Amino acid sequence: PRVLYLEYQPSNPFKGKGPVQVVPFLYAGHARGLMKQNELESSSRDVESLYLSQDIGDFFTNAVRKELGFSGYNVQPGEARIVSGTIEKFFLDYVREVEQRFEIRVTFNVNRAGAAVFASSCHSNLRQAEDWMKSGSLIERGIRDCIEQFIESAQAARAL
């Protein structure tokens, strides 16, 4: 198996303010429920498993925290406005042995004082020329794209 060590760096164009709490995102894993919490889903023809160095839910949660903090939000525990969600798909595959494809699908929720105030989902499907050394950057671009979709729609709905 291969292990990817990723260091996520926030870089979104949005500005916001106010306190917000980000609770751990759940990684649903493969539809058959056979995935480990740090294993990327892939096609059955890929004989080598690929893992992140940490749980996918933890990595994604920290990326959301970093992006919100980068935008100007005060991200801390115990706040009334809570961001949470479920990572439904986290998929890296090889296409025709010349391309890599990363697909992510996440459902986001924003709750305030225990009541749901906003829900959205994002989907990102990116491709690049196959290069094992750049797999991490492809995954990070997909995560960033997904989080930016969430921030944009949550701000438009005045949930953030």
Side-chain angles (χ1 to χ4, degrees):
R2 295 180 293 174
V3 178
L4 286 174
Y5 294 87
L6 303 179
E7 180 89 23
Y8 188 87
Q9 297 299 317
S11 66
N12 73 76
F14 304 104
K15 298 293 175 219
K17 62 182 180 178
V20 64
Q21 177 182 182
V22 178
V23 298
F25 278 68
L26 172 68
Y27 175 45
H30 191 275
R32 292 186 307 256
L34 301 175
M35 304 296 289
K36 295 182 172 97
Q37 289 300 300
N38 63 340
E39 184 178 359
L40 278 75
E41 183 181 349
S42 189
S43 70
S44 59
R45 74 178 195 286
D46 187 12
V47 296
E48 187 173 39
S49 296
L50 182 62
Y51 297 88
L52 289 188
S53 60
Q54 58 184 299
D55 286 352
I56 290 167
D58 293 342
F59 184 80
F60 190 84
T61 301
N62 288 328
V64 172
R65 287 180 179 134
K66 288 178 179 181
E67 290 290 359
L68 289 172
F70 185 81
S71 292
Y73 293 96
N74 183 12
V75 181
Q76 57 188 11
E79 295 299 334
R81 183 171 40 178
I82 301 169
V83 174
S84 63
T86 302
I87 304 156
E88 298 162 3
K89 189 166 194 105
F90 202 88
F91 182 86
L92 181 70
D93 204 10
Y94 299 95
V95 182
R96 296 183 305 276
E97 298 180 15
V98 295
E99 280 186 315
Q100 288 176 302
R101 177 174 71 100
F102 177 69
E103 182 178 0
I104 184 170
R105 191 171 47 245
V106 180
T107 300
F108 290 87
N109 300 299
V110 179
N111 295 328
R112 195 173 286 140
V117 294
F118 178 76
S120 72
S121 60
C122 71
H123 180 253
S124 183
N125 190 346
L126 302 175
R127 291 179 183 225
Q128 72 180 14
E130 182 179 342
D131 183 349
W132 157 242
M133 298 302 290
K134 294 184 180 176
S135 296
S137 65
L138 179 66
I139 291 168
E140 288 179 5
R141 281 192 350 254
I143 289 171
R144 184 172 292 107
D145 182 40
C146 196
I147 295 171
E148 286 181 5
Q149 288 176 44
F150 161 68
I151 293 173
E152 184 174 34
S153 62
Q155 285 183 339
R158 300 193 187 278
L160 278 181

